[in-house]
Amino acid sequence: MWFRSTLAYRASFLLTTLGNAITSWLEFAGILIIFSHVDQLGGFSVGEVALMYATASCSLGLADLFLGNMDQLGARVRDGSVDAMLIRPVPLFAQVAADRFVLRRVGRIVQGLLVLGWALAQLRPGWSVLEYALLAGVIVCGAAIFGALWALGGAFQFWAQDAAQVQNSVTYGGNRLLQYPPTIYGTELVRGVTYVVPLAFVNWVPLLRLLDRDDPLGLPGWVDFLSPLVAVVMCALTALLWRVGVRSYRSTGS
């Protein structure tokens, strides 16, 4: 329904999608401005940083497209509209995810793919088919991890009822963090986004393998391939906490 209503005004859809893409371009423009003054950032070239930016942006864009509306769950808990959702013969998770589906968010994904192509043209890596498959897996697993974090934030709002900005600080804030190489951050921060909130597995850890770079934490080489496992664990944890959150829901005002 939301998909059809968006395309009913195609000129408006195209303009808002273009605006979304331009906003994302401004983020990348900041990186290019930095490299207009330096040759490397934390030991990484502009092509390598662009690759980090593109993978993080594509992963966030996919998660935002399908699960970005999870941050609105707190408002629905407060106004009681979750009650109406619970009596429908459709899973609550699917209804919240699809509610007010924003198709213009595809602009971020398109922009990320364009930057990805530019980054590969800059690097000209002699990768094998398996390494390109690993790059595709980085984007898919990163989207799953971001999506799980969005859904975890949604589940938390069954209790907090107004935690959208906390949720956004982890998702959008995490995306901004991952657009730059881990070597520019302090060791404690890198450890936090590796062992506590596993944002490093969105792109840092596997990309260090593809770029033949040493891990700043000195992790063993097999850790570079753990992104799919981290994504599965995060999704399983999200499913569990979502069920607990739904069962603890007592309607508005209670």
Side-chain angles (χ1 to χ4, degrees), residues 121-251:
Q122 291 290 312
L123 295 172
R124 296 181 181 177
W127 291 344
S128 65
V129 174
L130 288 178
E131 286 171 318
Y132 277 105
L134 177 59
L135 178 62
V138 168
I139 296 175
V140 173
C141 293
I145 293 172
F146 270 131
L149 290 172
W150 244 305
L152 278 173
F156 178 64
Q157 293 193 59
F158 281 113
W159 296 282
Q161 299 185 9
D162 189 11
Q165 296 309 315
V166 175
Q167 186 177 9
N168 291 339
S169 69
V170 177
T171 51
Y172 292 112
N175 170 64
R176 186 62 62 88
L177 179 81
L178 297 173
Q179 292 174 358
Y180 297 90
T183 50
I184 70 172
Y185 301 109
T187 303
E188 295 304 320
L189 176 61
V190 176
R191 285 176 179 166
V193 296
T194 301
Y195 301 123
V196 182
V197 181
L199 286 169
F201 291 92
V202 170
N203 66 348
W204 276 355
V205 174
L207 285 187
L208 290 176
R209 159 74 63 166
L210 286 174
L211 296 174
D212 196 23
R213 297 291 188 130
D214 294 330
D215 189 285
L217 298 180
L219 298 174
W222 54 267
V223 175
D224 300 342
F225 302 98
L226 287 185
S227 290
L229 178 60
V230 171
V232 170
V233 171
M234 288 293 295
C235 290
L237 177 63
T238 297
L240 175 62
L241 292 181
W242 180 267
R243 290 174 64 87
V244 173
V246 172
R247 290 179 178 179
S248 68
Y249 175 69
R250 293 294 181 270
S251 190

Side-chain angles (χ1 to χ4, degrees), residues 10 25 31 35 61 108 131 161 224 237:
R10 298 189 180 183
W25 275 114
I31 294 176
F35 276 98
R108 177 185 289 273
E131 286 171 318
Q161 299 185 9
D224 300 342
L237 177 63

Side-chain angles (χ1 to χ4, degrees), residues 16-40:
T16 54
T17 302
L18 180 62
N20 188 274
I22 290 174
T23 302
S24 300
W25 275 114
L26 292 176
E27 295 178 355
F28 185 60
I31 294 176
L32 295 180
I33 291 173
I34 292 174
F35 276 98
S36 68
H37 298 281
V38 300
D39 295 326
Q40 292 188 335

